[in-house]
Amino acid sequence: MGKVYLTGAGPGDIDLLTVKALRVVREADVIIYDRLANPEILKEAKEGCEFVYVGKEDGRHTLPQDQINEVIYQNALKHENVVRLKGGDPLVFGRGGEEAKYLKERGIAYEFIPGVTSAISVPAYAGIPVTHRGVAVSFKVVTGHEAPNKEQSQVDWESMKADETIVFLMGLHNLRNIAKNLIRIGRAPDTPVAVISKGTTPDQRTVTGTLETIHDRVKAAGIQTPALIVVGKVVNLKNDLEWIEEKA
């Protein structure tokens, strides 16, 4: 019986992988990885390491979450070092807590290895700080994609009236509804918005607009997943602070 390392792979740029994550990847007997983990990371594994892909994307899941839990458990019974490699951070909408609970109930040792979350790093790569003196003193991270079988949404739209930065993860397909809900609860239609696709990778693209215009602009630009949405005045800092994308 081995140990499972619930490991954050970071947002995409392999240079943002933590030192500790790299160490456990190099020691792993098996790596169970998802769609958002940079595949270049797998090249750091030792010879003979096994790879198990359990990626999920909107509408197409290799395995449902309960089966992924079981795959991790079964591999822990066979291998000494099991790395569950998850894009971003395993505990920021990564379901790492669910996987840990499943393992704990079955007597499997585990460890969380935090990763650099896309909620902060992707805006940074687009030249957008989530906080900035005189502009925003707080930020909120919200799922943009709730489970479709929920009887009632857990997203507290009323709490988003404050003039703070909001980062929506996995919300591209719900962009129109997100914008409509924010306007409905009182955010100004001309509130700046950025949608960043494939952040921190060579294919990173950013489209900016307002709550009123962003859906049409993103559709026209053909923006693809994975993408996140940044809402707030900090988006206006992009023109002055962008450093990785070419200015239009």
Side-chain angles (χ1 to χ4, degrees), residues 56 63-70 84 95 98-99:
K56 294 186 286 186
L63 291 175
Q65 186 61 48
D66 59 345
Q67 291 185 34
I68 292 174
N69 295 345
E70 182 65 16
R84 170 64 170 116
R95 306 187 78 163
E98 296 174 43
E99 294 171 356

Side-chain angles (χ1 to χ4, degrees), residues 104-118:
K104 188 169 187 177
E105 289 171 350
R106 287 154 181 78
I108 300 296
Y110 63 88
E111 182 176 331
F112 291 122
I113 300 181
V116 176
T117 175
S118 62

Side-chain angles (χ1 to χ4, degrees), residues 29-213:
D29 300 308
V30 59
I31 299 175
I32 304 165
Y33 66 103
D34 69 17
R35 182 175 69 97
L36 296 181
N38 187 333
E40 292 294 310
I41 296 172
L42 303 181
K43 295 179 181 180
E44 295 292 335
K46 67 185 179 183
E47 186 175 352
C49 179
E50 296 180 19
F51 303 111
V52 180
Y53 177 68
V54 292
K56 294 186 286 186
E57 56 185 305
D58 195 27
R60 295 192 298 273
H61 290 190
T62 304
L63 291 175
Q65 186 61 48
D66 59 345
Q67 291 185 34
I68 292 174
N69 295 345
E70 182 65 16
V71 166
I72 299 169
Y73 168 63
Q74 290 297 331
N75 274 279
L77 295 178
K78 296 186 296 182
H79 299 287
E80 182 178 354
N81 294 309
V82 178
V83 169
R84 170 64 170 116
L85 192 64
K86 305 168 75 70
D89 181 278
L91 298 178
V92 180
F93 305 127
R95 306 187 78 163
E98 296 174 43
E99 294 171 356
K101 186 174 184 291
Y102 191 88
L103 295 171
K104 188 169 187 177
E105 289 171 350
R106 287 154 181 78
I108 300 296
Y110 63 88
E111 182 176 331
F112 291 122
I113 300 181
V116 176
T117 175
S118 62
I120 298 172
S121 57
V122 169
Y125 267 52
I128 302 171
V130 292
T131 66
H132 189 81
R133 187 171 63 167
V135 180
V137 297
S138 62
F139 69 97
K140 186 189 298 288
V141 181
V142 184
T143 180
H145 179 77
E146 290 190 282
N149 58 352
K150 279 187 178 180
E151 293 183 4
Q152 186 173 355
S153 172
Q154 288 181 276
V155 175
D156 183 4
W157 294 103
E158 293 297 320
S159 71
M160 301 182 203
K161 291 181 178 180
D163 192 15
E164 66 177 350
T165 305
I166 309 172
V167 180
F168 291 91
L169 302 185
M170 307 171 293
L172 184 62
H173 298 308
N174 290 324
L175 179 57
R176 185 191 294 273
N177 288 332
I178 288 170
K180 283 183 176 180
N181 275 304
L182 290 174
I183 293 172
R184 175 183 59 81
I185 57 97
R187 298 296 287 257
D190 63 355
T191 299
V193 183
V195 175
I196 310 163
S197 170
K198 301 182 180 180
T200 80
T201 75
D203 297 320
Q204 176 175 311
R205 292 181 65 198
T206 303
V207 173
T208 59
T210 67
L211 288 175
E212 201 166 39
T213 65

